[in-house]
Amino acid sequence: MKTVNILGLLMSAALFVGCAGTGGTGGTSASSTAGGQKAAVAPGGDAAITQNVTAALAADPETAGIKPETEQGKVLLKGEVKSVAAFQKAAAIAKKVPGVTAVDNRVIVCMTCK
């Protein structure tokens, strides 16, 4: 009986440790300035950030179809791209826009998409 309890305890501990690192961020990454502080929100607020991210993404043919949304400087990217490189490029482009404090990249990599 003790063997079953110990085994159950070890399995529970392993599951807990395995889940602890996920954090549920789904591709979220913060953008910071020197000293570890987050960048200030751009003049014009979230609407201006969304407009600037949209323009920056549209300038690259691989990321042109991605639609950003912004809330308190955090940009959510949605859409489809044809490669992992384009997925990564979209987040990098968004992070460079002034006022962006974080990027949640929910873009889907779809190799068979149009």
Side-chain angles (χ1 to χ4, degrees), residues 8-24:
L9 180 62
L10 290 173
M11 290 177 66
S12 297
L15 179 61
F16 178 73
V17 169
C19 293
T22 61

Side-chain angles (χ1 to χ4, degrees), residues 17-111:
V17 169
C19 293
T22 61
T25 57
T28 303
S29 59
S31 174
S32 337
T33 60
Q37 295 180 353
K38 293 191 178 203
V41 175
D46 291 337
I49 293 171
T50 299
Q51 185 177 16
N52 292 337
V53 171
T54 300
L57 292 168
D60 188 307
E62 291 182 308
T63 61
I66 297 173
K67 304 294 181 207
E69 298 174 10
T70 308
E71 185 174 331
Q72 296 180 345
K74 181 178 177 183
V75 176
L76 171 64
L77 300 177
K78 294 181 181 179
E80 295 178 346
V81 293
K82 295 182 180 180
S83 69
V84 174
F87 170 87
Q88 294 169 335
K89 187 187 289 187
I93 289 170
K95 286 178 193 175
K96 291 180 183 177
V97 173
V100 173
T101 59
V103 175
D104 186 355
N105 193 351
R106 300 217 182 153
V107 172
I108 296 169
V109 177
C110 180
M111 309 252 184

